[in-house]
Amino acid sequence: MRPPPRTATGQRRYGPDEAAHVRAIRELLALGLTVQALRGIADRIQLLVDDPQRRCALADAASPASGVVERRLAAIDAEIDRLGRLRDRLAQRTGQA
């Protein structure tokens, strides 16, 4: 984001565009993307600001943004698998299998 303009007293003045940008970033962080991952796709965040219902499909496989969502989904799937195995082991140990 560009530095916001300042008032005569030096306070930053944020407008609706900046607020929308921050909301988009917060949503992506809440989905588990990292700040580092967002830096790699910073040029695409404005697309979500302009159209919040936009799908996140990436057409250009050579883009730095390519794979960010796919890696996050793979990490979530791996964690689900790990937790499923952990649950099964615990259930077996306690006779609740």
Side-chain angles (χ1 to χ4, degrees):
M1 288 178 29
R2 295 183 316 270
R6 293 186 178 259
T7 65
T9 60
Q11 294 178 325
R12 293 180 180 101
R13 177 173 288 164
Y14 294 100
D17 291 339
E18 291 85 4
H21 200 88
V22 169
R23 275 193 300 277
I25 290 170
R26 289 180 61 122
E27 179 183 4
L28 293 168
L29 291 171
L31 290 169
L33 297 177
T34 64
V35 171
Q36 182 179 0
L38 294 183
R39 281 188 185 120
I41 61 168
D43 61 323
R44 295 179 179 259
I45 293 174
Q46 188 62 43
L47 298 173
L48 290 173
V49 172
D50 294 340
D51 181 6
Q53 300 303 313
R54 182 181 186 90
R55 302 215 43 211
C56 294
L58 299 171
D60 182 6
S63 165
S66 180
V68 169
V69 172
E70 290 80 4
R71 286 190 297 276
R72 180 62 185 143
L73 288 171
I76 291 170
D77 289 340
E79 183 67 5
I80 290 169
D81 290 343
R82 185 189 72 77
L83 290 171
R85 289 190 308 274
L86 181 64
R87 189 219 178 274
D88 292 345
R89 286 182 21 222
L90 181 59
Q92 287 175 347
R93 297 280 284 201
T94 59
Q96 298 179 25

